[in-house]
C-alpha cells in the first residue's frame, strides 16, 4: 500500500477543532518513537521546540495535572507540588492516563485536554513554552510529530474554553 496513512478519529477531530479556530499545523510522519530522546534522534529539524508532557497526580489521586514542559527539561516534583499548592505529586498510572485523557504512554500531548470535557485534569504549562515560536508534540500517536505556533495553541485553548496555569520553576 502506498500513500500517507489516514489520520485517526481523534486526530481528525483535533484538526477540525484547530481549523474551526483558524489554526493550521505542520505534520511530520516518522517511525514510532516513545521517548523524548527517541524523538530527538529522528533529527526532524522542525524549527520548533519539543515538549514533554506528564500526567501527574496528588498523593490521594484526587487531583490530576497535565504538565507541559520543554522536552529537555527536568521536573522537581516537590517544587512543582509546592508551586501548585497540592500534596506530593507522583506519576499517574497508564490506566489513569487512559481514563482521564484517553491517551497512551509516550503519546501524551497538550491536545489530550480535548478528551477531558469535564476538566478533571488541570492543565499546567511551563512559562518556557511560551518563550518560543512553535512547539512539537505527538497527538494520540507515536509515529507523527505535529508543530503548532505557541500563539495558536493559546488561541485554541481559549477557543475551547480550556484554562491553564503557568509555572516558572519545574
Amino acid at each position: 500500500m502506498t500513500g500517507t496513512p489516514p489520520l485517526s478519529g481523534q486526530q481528525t477531530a483535533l484538526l477540525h477543532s484547530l481549523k474551526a479556530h483558524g489554526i493550521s499545523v505542520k505534520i511530520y510522519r516518522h517511525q514510532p518513537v516513545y521517548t523524548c530522546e527517541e524523538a530527538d534522534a529522528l533529527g526532524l529539524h522542525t524549527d520548533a521546540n519539543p515538549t514533554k508532557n506528564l500526567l501527574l497526580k496528588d498523593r490521594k489521586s484526587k487531583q490530576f495535572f497535565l504538565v507541559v514542559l520543554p522536552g529537555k527539561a527536568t521536573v522537581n516534583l516537590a517544587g512543582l507540588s509546592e508551586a501548585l499548592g497540592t500534596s506530593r505529586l507522583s506519576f499517574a498510572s497508564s490506566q489513569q492516563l487512559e481514563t482521564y485523557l484517553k491517551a497512551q504512554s509516550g503519546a501524551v500531548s497538550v491536545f489530550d485536554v480535548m478528551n477531558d470535557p469535564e476538566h478533571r485534569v488541570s492543565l499546567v504549562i511551563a512559562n518556557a513554552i511560551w518563550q518560543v515560536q512553535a512547539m512539537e508534540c505527538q497527538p494520540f500517536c507515536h509515529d507523527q510529530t505535529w508543530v503548532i505556533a505557541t500563539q495558536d495553541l493559546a488561541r485554541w485553548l481559549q477557543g475551547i474554553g480550556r484554562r491553564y496555569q503557568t509555572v516558572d520553576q519545574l
Side-chain angles (χ1 to χ4, degrees):
M1 182 173 176
T2 61
T4 303
L7 297 174
S8 71
Q10 285 183 315
Q11 290 171 319
T12 300
L14 173 57
L15 275 180
H16 287 308
S17 178
L18 291 167
K19 286 181 183 178
H21 293 92
I23 298 168
S24 63
V25 294
K26 178 142 177 114
I27 300 173
Y28 294 83
R29 296 177 187 269
H30 50 72
Q31 68 190 37
V33 294
Y34 300 92
T35 66
C36 290
E37 292 76 21
E38 289 177 3
D40 284 347
L42 292 173
L44 294 178
H45 306 293
T46 66
D47 293 326
N49 285 0
T51 56
K52 184 182 299 184
N53 303 270
L54 309 171
L55 184 62
L56 303 175
K57 62 179 182 161
D58 70 354
R59 183 184 325 219
K60 295 183 180 179
S61 296
K62 293 193 183 274
Q63 292 181 292
F64 289 83
F65 303 90
L66 175 58
V67 179
V68 182
L69 58 152
K72 295 198 184 295
T74 58
V75 62
N76 173 338
L77 293 179
L80 183 56
S81 296
E82 185 176 322
L84 297 174
T86 189
S87 64
R88 184 177 51 94
L89 291 172
S90 62
F91 291 95
S93 69
S94 55
Q95 181 171 345
Q96 290 166 326
L97 188 58
E98 170 64 32
T99 298
Y100 289 97
L101 296 176
K102 297 177 182 50
Q104 53 185 306
S105 293
V108 181
S109 80
V110 66
F111 295 123
D112 289 319
V113 297
M114 70 180 269
N115 293 326
D116 178 32
E118 297 89 18
H119 297 203
R120 298 178 296 173
V121 176
S122 297
L123 181 58
V124 178
I125 302 176
N127 275 330
I129 294 293
W130 304 116
Q131 306 307 312
V132 298
Q133 295 285 324
M135 58 181 262
E136 297 176 0
C137 57
Q138 286 77 35
F140 319 119
C141 66
H142 297 282
D143 61 355
Q144 295 174 27
T145 296
W146 291 23
V147 174
I148 185 170
T150 50
Q151 66 185 12
D152 287 344
L153 174 64
R155 191 169 80 236
W156 179 73
L157 290 169
Q158 181 179 10
I160 65 167
R162 191 61 191 224
R163 293 188 174 157
Y164 57 89
Q165 180 176 350
T166 57
V167 291
D168 285 319
Q169 296 290 11
L170 295 174

